[in-house]
Amino acid sequence: MFAKVLYNLCGNSPGYMPGIPRIHCEPVKTGCMLIYEDDGIGIPQDKKKLIFERGFTTSPGPTKSSGLGLLLVRDILAITGITIKETGVPGVGSRFEMVIPPGKWRIGPVE
């Protein structure tokens, strides 16, 4: 299911940005943080709390999205205790921070 999370995040970026998204990890006190960033138009400050709600979309024009993608991303991650929030800067790009709690991640090859 995690592949669907990344697929959805990556699928949202091309319509709003010219470059390639970046994905990286950083350690945090509460576990491990997986960060997804792009250099698109970002999410307007007044919309940040709405993007994970059912039916909300920022897609322009007649081909609007269903508004279910980020809702499903949040719900899929929540099953394992992973939280997600958008912390990007409007006009600079989107940044999704996913905090993976202790015991839910590991460093090294899969055994």
Side-chain angles (χ1 to χ4, degrees):
M1 294 299 287
F2 191 71
K4 291 184 184 297
V5 168
L6 294 178
Y7 177 82
N8 191 284
L9 291 173
C10 290
N12 285 342
S13 293
Y16 300 98
M17 60 172 282
I20 297 172
R22 296 168 304 281
I23 300 173
H24 58 96
C25 293
E26 295 178 5
V28 293
K29 288 182 180 179
T30 57
C32 175
M33 184 183 303
L34 179 65
I35 300 167
Y36 175 92
E37 297 177 302
D38 66 37
D39 56 0
I41 60 173
I43 308 291
Q45 197 64 39
D46 62 332
K47 306 286 188 234
K48 287 182 182 276
K49 290 185 179 180
L50 302 173
I51 62 173
F52 295 104
E53 299 299 320
R54 179 182 299 274
F56 181 79
T57 181
T58 59
S59 297
T63 57
K64 290 190 176 202
S65 70
S66 67
L68 296 175
L70 289 175
L71 169 74
L72 293 173
V73 163
R74 183 194 64 198
D75 289 351
I76 288 169
L77 293 174
I79 291 169
T80 57
I82 299 172
T83 59
I84 185 170
K85 65 181 176 178
E86 201 285 329
T87 62
V89 177
V92 176
S94 297
R95 176 182 166 105
F96 290 91
E97 296 179 352
M98 294 163 271
V99 176
I100 306 165
K104 300 290 184 175
W105 60 277
R106 66 176 158 228
I107 296 175
V110 177
E111 297 174 7

